[in-house]
């Protein structure tokens, strides 16, 4: 393998330049950081995703809609192969760079996804509107607002001001937050889901922390303040979130 590994990621308008923000793309980036795999980021705006990846001959997502036939993250491996979807990427990286292990067999991934799915769906009124407001470059704002407003049935700004947002959203997230606390406290031997052993589920949770942190400081403060186990877990994982700009 002589060529470099490339991670396709969504840029932000961060004052210091492009900075990773998407929880989905972080799922691949954090594995690369955790395993200390050399890579380069290639930033790609939302409207460019489908035409760019189609031109590379990458097969579309099998169960996707036409609007989201192509998604990020995408990784180009040193042998020239492209791979889409974060879990498939994690499996391939584990195969090629087995140490340190992601412990994909531990069950932590399913636990993390189950908790985050409940939290994420409940907090959509509190999170989605901040993406075009605080994150995106002009090249992606119209695409994001159009596609997400169509999904949610109303303009994002209206959603943020609706009775679905605020305390209503956080109340709806309570079962997910309880599930998150449960998986982080069921093993007392360490800060991770499996105690003192890092697994892919931990990296999935940390990817969500990065997303919330970039969106709005109040969101991450409230999440981390829910229980000391979440703050402890964030602190244990944040070293793998440091590389976010290249």
């Amino acid at each position: 393998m002589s060529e470099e590994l490339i991670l396709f990621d969504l840029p932000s308008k961060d004052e210091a330049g492009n900075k990773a923000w998407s929880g989905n793309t972080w799922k691949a980036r954090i594995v690369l950081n955790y395993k200390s795999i050399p890579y380069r980021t290639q930033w790609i705006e939302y409207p460019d995703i489908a035409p760019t990846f189609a031109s590379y001959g990458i097969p579309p997502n099998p169960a996707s809609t036409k609007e989201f036939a192509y998604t990020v993250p995408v990784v180009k491996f040193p042998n020239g192969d492209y791979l889409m979807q974060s879990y498939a990427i994690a499996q391939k990286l584990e195969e090629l760079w087995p140490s340190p292990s992601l412990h994909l067999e531990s069950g932590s991934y399913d636990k993390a996804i189950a908790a985050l799915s409940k939290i994420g769906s409940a907090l959509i009124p509190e999170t989605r509107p901040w993406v075009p407001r605080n994150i995106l470059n002009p090249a992606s704002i119209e695409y994001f607002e159009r596609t997400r407003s169509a999904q949610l049935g109303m303009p994002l700004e209206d959603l943020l001001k609706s009775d679905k947002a605020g305390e209503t959203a956080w109340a709806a997230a309570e079962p997910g937050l309880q599930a998150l606390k449960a998986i982080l406290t069921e093993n007392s031997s360490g800060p991770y889901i499996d105690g003192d052993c890092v697994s892919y589920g931990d990296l999935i949770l940390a990817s969500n922390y990065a997303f919330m942190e970039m969106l709005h400081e109040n969101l991450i403060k409230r999440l981390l303040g829910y229980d000391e186990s979440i703050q402890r877990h964030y602190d244990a994982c944040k070293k793998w979130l440091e590389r976010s700009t290249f």
Side-chain angles (χ1 to χ4, degrees):
M1 297 187 192
S2 57
E3 296 184 17
E4 61 186 342
L5 187 148
I6 299 173
L7 169 66
F8 291 85
D9 201 349
L10 295 161
S12 71
K13 61 180 181 183
D14 187 84
E15 291 181 1
N18 292 327
K19 186 175 181 180
W21 63 271
S22 166
N24 285 328
T25 58
W26 260 112
K27 292 174 186 176
R29 177 180 293 273
I30 197 171
V31 173
L32 294 167
N33 293 349
Y34 169 67
K35 289 180 173 288
S36 298
I37 300 170
Y39 69 97
R40 173 174 66 85
T41 303
Q42 186 160 325
W43 304 102
I44 184 167
E45 298 285 355
Y46 270 111
D48 299 327
I49 289 173
T52 298
F53 296 153
S55 73
Y56 294 163
I58 302 174
N61 289 317
S64 67
T65 64
K66 182 179 179 182
E67 190 76 59
F68 303 111
Y70 293 92
T71 56
V72 285
V74 166
V75 162
K76 181 183 180 183
F77 287 89
N79 67 356
D81 291 343
Y82 291 89
L83 192 58
M84 188 162 49
Q85 298 283 357
S86 57
Y87 191 76
I89 291 170
Q91 289 177 305
K92 190 64 177 180
L93 292 174
E94 182 81 339
E95 175 189 331
L96 296 176
W97 290 273
S99 181
S101 176
L102 295 175
H103 298 285
L104 295 173
E105 75 292 340
S106 77
S108 70
Y109 172 78
D110 291 334
K111 294 177 183 178
I113 289 295
L116 289 182
S117 295
K118 295 176 183 177
I119 296 170
S121 59
L123 291 183
I124 283 175
E126 285 289 288
T127 57
R128 292 296 183 276
W130 292 109
V131 174
R133 266 193 182 193
N134 288 356
I135 302 293
L136 297 180
N137 291 310
S140 287
I141 289 176
E142 185 280 332
Y143 174 92
F144 189 88
E145 290 184 335
R146 171 172 48 81
T147 56
R148 272 52 179 185
S149 295
Q151 281 182 325
L152 299 170
M154 68 173 68
L156 295 181
E157 286 295 322
D158 292 351
L159 181 63
L160 186 61
K161 299 172 185 176
S162 74
D163 58 6
K164 298 178 181 180
E167 292 306 314
T168 301
W170 283 100
E174 181 68 21
L177 293 168
Q178 290 179 357
L180 177 58
K181 176 183 174 180
I183 65 174
L184 292 178
T185 56
E186 65 182 353
N187 194 324
S188 61
S189 64
Y192 306 111
I193 298 173
D194 294 330
D196 59 358
C197 179
V198 182
S199 64
Y200 188 45
D202 296 299
L203 304 185
I204 293 296
L205 294 181
S207 297
N208 189 68
Y209 303 152
F211 173 60
M212 299 280 274
E213 196 164 29
M214 279 288 287
L215 283 181
H216 198 290
E217 62 180 353
N218 291 340
L219 293 173
I220 189 63
K221 284 181 180 178
R222 182 146 185 180
L223 177 64
L224 298 182
Y226 182 79
D227 188 77
E228 63 180 9
S229 63
I230 304 175
Q231 179 70 62
R232 185 169 62 247
H233 187 259
Y234 169 84
D235 291 339
C237 295
K238 65 182 180 181
K239 57 190 172 184
W240 300 306
L241 298 173
E242 291 175 358
R243 180 175 173 180
S244 62
T245 59
F246 63 98

